[in-house]
Amino acid sequence: MYAHVDINNCYVSCERLFNPELEGKVVVVLSNNDGCVIARSNEAKAVGIKMADAEFMVRKLLQENKARIFSSNYALYADMSARLMNNLARYTYTLMVYSIDEAFLALSEIHSLDPDQHARTISENVMKHTGLPITVGIGPTMALAKLANKAAKKQKLAYFVLDTESKIENTIRNFPIEDVWGIGHAYYDKLKAYGIKTAHDFRELKADFVRQEMTVQGWRLHQELWGKPCNVIKDVADRSKGIESSQSFNSYQTELAPIEEAIAMHAATVALKLRQQKSMSMQLTIYLRTNKHNVKHDQHYPSLTVKVSFAANSTHQLTLVAVQAARAIFQPGYHYLKAGVRATGIIPEGEVQFNLFNTYEHSREQKLSELMDGLNSRYGRGTLRLAADSFERKWAMKQEFLSKQYTTDWKHIVTTS
C-alpha cells in the first residue's frame, strides 16, 4: 500500500496558521511580482476566482469580496513544508517528497497495517504538530493513492482508502480522466478523441493499445489503475532532474551589475540546496530572459552551460563560475526580466574525482560553506553572504503584500501580550 499526502490550499493554509483571523475569509496568494493568483482559499474559489487569474483582471472582484491578498512568502512555505515532511517521516520507512506540499509514503513494510487507522493517525497528528490541514489518500499503487486523495477532497474527507477492488471500481467509475495523475493536456486531448471520459474508460482500454498511443509512461499509469505497481518510491533525491533557482525582476534590467547580483544570489541558493541533499554539481547553466509578451522590446534568451572544474557545492566556487558566465552572455541594449541558475550533472557528495594536478582547496571550501550555513541557520537566512550578492537587491521582485517571516526571522516570531 502507498499513501499520498498533501496540504489543503498550501500557501493559504500557511498564512492562516499564523493569522487565524483569515479563517472563513476570501484569501489569495499571488505569484512572483504579484502577477497571478497561485493559491486560493475555498471562499475565494466560491466567488469565482480561478487559478492563474491575473491580479489586475480580478482586482475588482477581490475588492468587492474584501479579499485578503498576500505575496508569495517562499521562506515561510518552505519551512512549513520541511516541518510537514519531518512529521510524515514518522509514519513510513520510505518517504518521497514530491513537491513543496505533497509526498508519497510506502506502507508495505509496516506490520499489521490498518490503512484507515493509519490514515486517521497521520491526519490528526500532522494537524496537532504542525497546524496544517492535510488530505491523505491510500491505495495499492501510487496512482491510486493520488486518485484516493483527490476523491477525498471531492467528498470533503480528511482521508480516503482504496483497499478493495469494489472501492476502486466505484471510485474510478465516474472519476474524470483529466483529474488522473499523469494525464496532461496532450494525453487528455488524445483520449478525448477516443471518447475516454473517465478513469474507468481508460482502464478498460487494452494495455497494448495504451502503450502504442501513450508510450511506456501511459502504460504504467494504466497498469497502476489496475492495482499493479509500476512506479517506485525513492527515499533519496532524484539527481537526474537538477536543481534550479530563478526569479523575475521587479522591473526591466539593462545594466550588468544588478544581473550579476541576481545570478550570485541564485548560485548561492543552488549551492545551499546541493549541500542540504549532500550532493555536488559538475556543471551550471546560467540564463537570462527578456519579456516575450512585450513586443516593444527586442527579445534575447541567452544561456550558457559551464563545466565546473571539480564537482562542487561551495557557495564561493559556484558563484564564481555563475557570475563569469553571466558576464559572457549579457548583452547591452536588451531589457532583461528574469535570470536563473540551474545545476546539473549532480553526484553524491562523497564521489568527487580529483587528480594529481588539482589546485582546488576542497576542504577549505567545505569549511567555509559549513561556517556560512551555521551562522545563517542561527541568525537567519542571508545573514552572511558573499559580497557579490548585494544586501540592497533593488532588482528584487515586487512583493507589496508580503507577510512576516514568522519562522525564519527573530523579529517576526509570534508573541503573546
Side-chain angles (χ1 to χ4, degrees):
M1 300 295 283
Y2 298 85
H4 175 261
V5 178
D6 72 350
I7 306 173
N8 302 332
N9 304 325
C10 177
Y11 294 173
V12 171
S13 295
C14 290
E15 298 290 352
R16 280 176 166 173
L17 181 59
F18 296 94
N19 194 350
E21 69 174 22
L22 297 175
E23 290 291 341
K25 296 183 179 179
V26 175
V27 181
V28 298
V29 177
L30 304 178
S31 63
N32 291 349
N33 289 316
D34 297 338
C36 302
V37 175
I38 58 171
R40 309 160 292 161
S41 64
N42 290 333
E43 294 78 7
K45 297 174 185 177
V47 299
I49 299 172
K50 298 181 177 60
M51 187 68 79
D53 274 347
E55 185 274 335
F56 73 91
M57 294 183 66
V58 294
R59 190 173 297 161
K60 184 177 180 181
L61 183 59
L62 293 170
Q63 292 172 347
E64 291 174 349
N65 289 278
K66 299 180 180 179
R68 294 294 303 274
I69 304 171
F70 293 91
S71 302
S72 296
N73 190 340
Y74 295 119
L76 174 64
Y77 307 151
D79 188 60
M80 295 311 302
S81 172
R83 297 186 187 197
L84 169 69
M85 301 310 167
N86 286 335
N87 270 268
L88 293 179
R90 301 164 60 193
Y91 305 103
T92 179
Y93 292 101
T94 310
L95 172 73
M96 185 177 80
V97 178
Y98 190 66
S99 69
I100 191 172
D101 68 335
E102 59 181 322
F104 285 98
L105 292 72
L107 306 179
S108 58
E109 296 181 24
I110 300 177
H111 183 64
S112 302
L113 175 73
D114 181 338
D116 281 278
Q117 181 58 47
H118 201 64
R120 185 184 305 113
T121 300
I122 294 174
S123 177
E124 293 175 353
N125 286 352
V126 166
M127 171 59 79
K128 178 181 178 182
H129 297 142
T130 69
L132 296 171
I134 64 170
T135 301
V136 183
I138 292 181
T141 66
M142 292 172 67
L144 285 172
K146 181 91 170 178
L147 190 146
N149 188 297
K150 287 194 175 185
K153 281 187 169 66
K154 291 181 179 182
Q155 300 175 59
K156 297 182 178 180
L157 301 173
Y159 61 90
F160 188 60
V161 178
L162 295 176
D163 55 354
T164 66
E165 181 56 38
S166 61
K167 279 187 180 181
I168 295 172
E169 176 63 29
N170 291 335
T171 303
I172 69 170
R173 182 164 295 281
N174 297 307
F175 197 90
I177 187 61
E178 61 268 27
D179 289 344
V180 174
W181 182 42
I183 300 295
H185 291 297
Y187 280 164
Y188 173 68
D189 291 340
K190 180 172 288 189
L191 292 172
K192 184 179 179 181
Y194 286 109
I196 306 302
K197 298 180 179 180
T198 67
H200 176 269
D201 296 338
F202 176 68
R203 199 170 76 150
E204 291 301 306
L205 293 173
K206 292 185 180 299
D208 291 342
F209 174 82
V210 173
R211 185 157 190 162
Q212 179 180 342
E213 295 294 323
M214 300 175 64
T215 71
V216 68
Q217 195 62 35
W219 176 82
R220 287 174 181 166
L221 172 60
H222 182 264
Q223 295 298 295
E224 290 230 333
L225 290 180
W226 277 107
K228 302 173 183 177
C230 293
N231 294 305
V232 179
I233 285 186
K234 300 177 181 179
D235 60 351
V236 296
D238 186 352
R239 297 186 172 94
S240 64
K241 294 183 178 180
I243 294 175
E244 183 171 348
S245 176
S246 64
Q247 192 179 91
S248 297
F249 303 122
N250 60 11
S251 59
Y252 293 116
Q253 300 299 320
T254 57
E255 303 295 329
L256 177 58
I259 290 177
E260 284 186 356
E261 293 174 1
I263 290 295
M265 181 200 72
H266 293 312
T269 300
V270 167
L272 176 60
K273 290 180 178 179
L274 285 167
R275 292 195 295 273
Q276 288 174 337
Q277 70 173 41
K278 300 186 183 305
S279 298
M280 290 190 168
S281 173
M282 294 191 291
Q283 60 185 28
L284 292 182
T285 298
I286 291 78
Y287 60 87
L288 303 175
R289 298 286 184 268
T290 52
N291 184 359
K292 65 180 180 180
H293 302 293
N294 191 331
V295 295
K296 296 180 180 179
H297 297 155
D298 293 333
Q299 302 301 312
H300 193 219
Y301 313 112
S303 68
L304 180 62
T305 299
V306 182
K307 183 176 177 60
V308 182
S309 299
F310 297 96
N313 60 13
S314 157
T315 298
H316 172 260
Q317 180 72 359
L318 295 187
T319 300
L320 181 64
V321 172
V323 171
Q324 288 176 342
R327 292 170 182 168
I329 64 175
F330 171 82
Q331 290 188 23
Y334 291 101
H335 295 71
Y336 294 106
L337 189 61
K338 186 176 182 179
V341 175
R342 183 186 305 114
T344 53
I346 297 175
I347 63 173
E349 201 171 47
E351 298 181 9
V352 182
Q353 180 68 51
F354 297 105
N355 63 53
L356 292 173
F357 307 101
N358 171 37
T359 58
Y360 177 57
E361 299 183 57
H362 177 72
S363 60
R364 177 179 177 273
E365 293 287 347
Q366 291 301 105
K367 290 178 180 178
L368 284 173
S369 296
E370 290 174 6
L371 175 63
M372 290 183 67
D373 293 344
L375 289 171
N376 288 331
S377 176
R378 180 168 183 176
Y379 297 106
R381 184 177 178 182
T383 299
L384 181 63
R385 63 179 77 163
L386 297 183
D389 181 4
S390 170
F391 276 88
E392 294 183 1
R393 294 183 179 176
K394 295 179 180 179
W395 42 265
M397 63 182 177
K398 176 183 175 184
Q399 291 180 305
E400 292 184 356
F401 312 103
L402 188 65
S403 56
K404 295 180 179 180
Q405 309 295 334
Y406 296 107
T407 64
T408 55
D409 192 322
W410 287 109
K411 299 189 297 293
H412 295 168
I413 288 180
V414 176
T415 58
T416 57
S417 56

